[in-house]
Amino acid sequence: MDFGFSQEDETFRAEVRDWLAAHAGAGTDRRTWERTLGKAGWIGLGWPEQGYGNRAATLTQQVAWAEEYARSGAPPRSGHIGENLLAPTLLVHGTDEQKARFLPPVAAGEELWCQGYSEPGAGSDLAGVRTAAVREGPHYRITGQKIWTSLAHEADWCFVLARTDPGSRRHHGLSFLLVPMDQPGRVEVRPIRQMTGTSEFNEVFFDGAHARAEHVVGAEGRGWQVAMSLLGFERGVSTLAQQIGFAEELAKVVATAAETGGLDDPVLRERLVRQWAELRTMRWNALRTLGGSGDPGAPSVAKLLWANWHQRLGELAVRVRGATAAAGPTAWSPAAPYELDAAQHLFLFSRADTIYGGSDQVQRTIIAERVLGLPREPKGAV
């Protein structure tokens, strides 16, 4: 292994491989699968503290777990937002009571989370948040709308960035609230049907939703600092697992090119080789920055690299098919939803890669201002 695994780590990898082989094909629904992972202690390997039902694992063992999980064909995760974003944030900014309340259910796969950041008028410019939270005794009353909320239709809880100081502007006066989703009449989730035909993203409407006052993370008014800290956790060993999936997608595109004669085209052949070389470069960059801290540009560089790479792969996936890429896997009928094959889904879904999680323009601005020290971009009044 090019990461430098010890014999102890390889033993751990074998344990992971055996467990996944025995359980990954169970065919359970996503929530039951999270509980299966939690019962075996596989959730929270990367948390710096133990005692919440999670196993202890070194950084290299976390890499082994992520890579073997990606290779196994195990079901997609529903709990990764709680495990990889909320939990590390609570470990840094949360109170002992918040950790004791929320981390064990995440580790057990019992409570699923979604992220309430983006709004119709505050996407890449997150400081434009307008969702308001007003303190009323032991609760906050929350009113506003979030959008592009991944897995909100499955989530039990949402961490919400809201404005608790009505006279504040930009990143001042924001708070990070933990909000239960099961509030009929106060929380409404509307799935967004995408051009892929699926609905992973949602609109979420808060109409007087309640959040307990003790469920403010990092104190009232310090939500911006907590929110930015959370965004820093979006990179890590999950990046290496993501690249395992990318490699499998690339292999399928190359195989299709071989079947259709696309490899005889020197231009197409050069693009495929470039995709392979860039994927290797991304892996080495991920290994180089793994576990590092204090580099404000690393997450933005990684996002620019993988988002554009994946988008180009989607374009290649249909190009190697030629004219047949325009035809679906089944006959079209106006009475039934259209269907896409894997290549078509990759092409359409990857169009969003350079937008969600911070658009390319925002990533370049972060690099320019925080790494290169260029003049800050003027911000309009909110």
Side-chain angles (χ1 to χ4, degrees), residues 101-102 111-114 155-159 178-181 215:
R101 164 59 185 86
F102 292 108
E111 291 183 349
L112 304 180
W113 287 79
C114 60
D156 303 295
W157 289 80
C158 182
F159 48 88
L178 308 181
V179 183
M181 295 291 284
H215 291 168

Side-chain angles (χ1 to χ4, degrees), residues 5 8 17 20 31 33 76 87 89 103 109 128-129 138 142 152 189 193 219 235 266 289 299 319 324 361 369 375:
F5 286 95
E8 178 183 356
R17 190 182 299 116
L20 287 170
R31 185 176 287 270
W33 175 242
T89 302
L103 293 184
V129 162
I142 305 167
V189 178
R193 189 168 185 266
R235 79 182 194 277
T289 61
R319 178 173 175 180
T324 61
Q361 292 84 351
E369 295 178 355

Side-chain angles (χ1 to χ4, degrees), residues 17-31:
R17 190 182 299 116
D18 291 345
W19 188 89
L20 287 170
H23 295 85
T28 57
D29 64 84
R30 287 160 64 117
R31 185 176 287 270

Side-chain angles (χ1 to χ4, degrees), residues 130-305:
R130 294 179 182 272
T131 294
V134 178
R135 178 73 180 267
E136 294 182 345
H139 294 89
Y140 284 89
R141 180 170 51 83
I142 305 167
T143 304
Q145 178 188 359
K146 298 295 181 178
I147 197 167
W148 308 121
T149 310
S150 301
L151 304 179
H153 58 296
E154 299 180 9
D156 303 295
W157 289 80
C158 182
F159 48 88
V160 176
L161 189 63
R163 196 165 295 280
T164 48
D165 181 351
S168 63
R169 296 172 56 186
R170 303 299 299 166
H171 57 273
H172 302 287
L174 298 172
S175 296
F176 191 98
L177 307 170
L178 308 181
V179 183
M181 295 291 284
D182 186 14
Q183 299 189 53
R186 294 176 176 172
V187 178
E188 180 185 358
V189 178
R190 299 180 189 173
I192 300 172
R193 189 168 185 266
Q194 299 138 216
M195 58 184 175
T196 56
T198 57
S199 302
E200 294 91 348
F201 304 115
N202 305 267
E203 293 179 283
V204 181
F205 295 85
F206 299 101
D207 185 9
H210 284 179
R212 294 170 62 176
E214 62 265 32
H215 291 168
V216 176
V217 180
E220 181 177 309
R222 292 189 55 81
W224 184 256
Q225 291 86 341
V226 177
M228 292 301 99
S229 176
L230 181 143
L231 291 177
F233 296 124
E234 287 190 312
R235 79 182 194 277
V237 296
S238 59
T239 302
L240 293 167
Q242 177 191 56
Q243 292 168 9
I244 297 293
F246 286 173
E248 293 177 352
E249 290 176 338
L250 176 58
K252 292 177 182 178
V253 172
V254 173
T256 300
E259 294 171 1
T260 60
L263 293 182
D264 296 331
D265 181 347
V267 175
L268 184 56
R269 189 166 61 244
E270 187 274 337
R271 287 188 61 183
L272 290 169
V273 171
R274 181 177 293 274
Q275 288 290 124
W276 177 86
E278 290 176 349
L279 183 59
R280 297 301 298 174
T281 301
M282 286 194 293
R283 176 173 175 78
W284 287 114
N285 183 64
L287 291 172
R288 180 183 64 83
T289 61
L290 190 63
S293 60
D295 183 351
S300 295
V301 170
K303 177 62 166 56
L304 284 171
L305 286 173

